[in-house]
Amino acid sequence: MRTSPVRDVPDPPCPADLSPRVPVRPGSGRCVLAVGAHPDDIELGCGATLYAHRSAGDRVVMLVLTDGSSGGGTAAVRRAEQAVATARIGAEIRWGGFRDGWLGGGPEVIGVIERVIREVGATTVYTHAPDDTHQDHRAASQSVTSAARDAERLLYFESPSSVDFRPHLYCDVTRSAGRKMEALRAHASQVAGSRRVDLHAVASLMSVRGFQSGVDQAEAFMARRFVFDPNPAPAAVPADRTGLPVPVGRPAGERPAAHDLYGVLRPHG
């Protein structure tokens, strides 16, 4: 992973940061699960998209499979950083409890992921792309692909160590990119200590993906599976005092919610 000096380094996380600061709509009833091999992997790959999901009223759960203790910073430090980052997205955290660098792709890892999917009722799952130079990322991708075999949507995100990443879908994160950067700054041991996270490169990549998809900033995904209904059941139409239906629709200029296929996750080409 390329490294470069980072001057914009936050203060260490404090307990006050742990309260979510996310203005959300009423619950949608949907649950989104993101699975990463290490602390900060999920934020790097889809942090802004998860914040968009949360703002749209979706429940967001993050499953981190290892403690990240081999990447700079102790296990305790990285767990504390992850707690702050998760709160900044407005998500919930689960831990897999596996050893950093030795994740593997066997039935034990798959079983943990399957249990979390069942527990939270996730229908959309995000995880690492399968072609990656880090063995834990590859193992996580393989395990999630097996564990989420029944999920309606399984999307692969890109990491700085991804190889030959060719996106199929883009999420417009113009309004949520800033929160992704806040979440990444919580991982101070990576931003300042080991300098494994280049914030300038992260911001630039969102701009590049936005340019490719015709928006200001975007996160990109490869679709392993994406089930959608092009003709969903219409919502109930309210009536005025005369009993006649009142036209409803999205106000002009308002961006769509994170679950809107055509407005947020845009098919490539």
Side-chain angles (χ1 to χ4, degrees), residues 49-221:
T49 297
L50 295 183
Y51 181 71
H53 274 294
R54 189 69 188 99
S55 299
D58 297 343
R59 180 185 180 189
V60 176
V61 180
M62 299 166 64
L63 170 59
V64 180
L65 295 173
T66 77
D67 60 16
S69 57
S70 297
T74 65
V77 166
R78 301 216 62 187
R79 286 180 71 95
E81 291 173 346
Q82 184 63 64
V84 176
T86 303
R88 288 179 178 175
I89 291 175
E92 305 168 33
I93 185 67
R94 302 287 191 277
W95 292 93
F98 296 99
R99 182 181 175 188
D100 187 2
W102 297 80
L103 186 57
E108 185 179 4
V109 179
I110 295 171
V112 167
I113 300 167
E114 286 179 331
R115 285 194 294 274
V116 174
I117 290 174
R118 289 196 301 267
E119 174 197 338
V120 303
T123 57
T124 299
V125 181
Y126 295 91
T127 194
H128 295 274
D131 197 355
D132 196 289
T133 59
H134 197 299
Q135 71 276 12
D136 282 352
H137 295 181
R138 294 195 303 271
S141 181
Q142 178 183 354
S143 298
V144 174
T145 300
S146 296
R149 62 178 67 87
D150 295 326
E152 294 177 3
R153 290 170 290 276
L154 174 57
L155 299 173
Y156 297 136
F157 56 69
E158 60 183 326
S159 299
S161 52
S162 294
V163 178
D164 196 27
F165 187 85
R166 300 182 181 184
H168 308 121
L169 298 170
Y170 296 88
C171 180
D172 183 354
V173 298
T174 304
R175 295 197 302 172
S176 55
R179 187 54 64 96
K180 169 175 179 157
M181 303 306 289
E182 286 187 33
L184 285 172
R185 287 188 180 97
H187 294 281
S189 67
Q190 308 304 296
V191 174
S194 66
R195 293 183 178 176
R196 292 179 178 271
V197 179
D198 186 333
L199 297 182
H200 304 295
V202 171
S204 296
L205 180 60
M206 286 192 287
S207 295
V208 169
R209 294 308 189 192
F211 177 78
Q212 291 174 340
S213 56
V215 298
D216 290 339
Q217 292 176 296
E219 287 179 330
F221 302 94

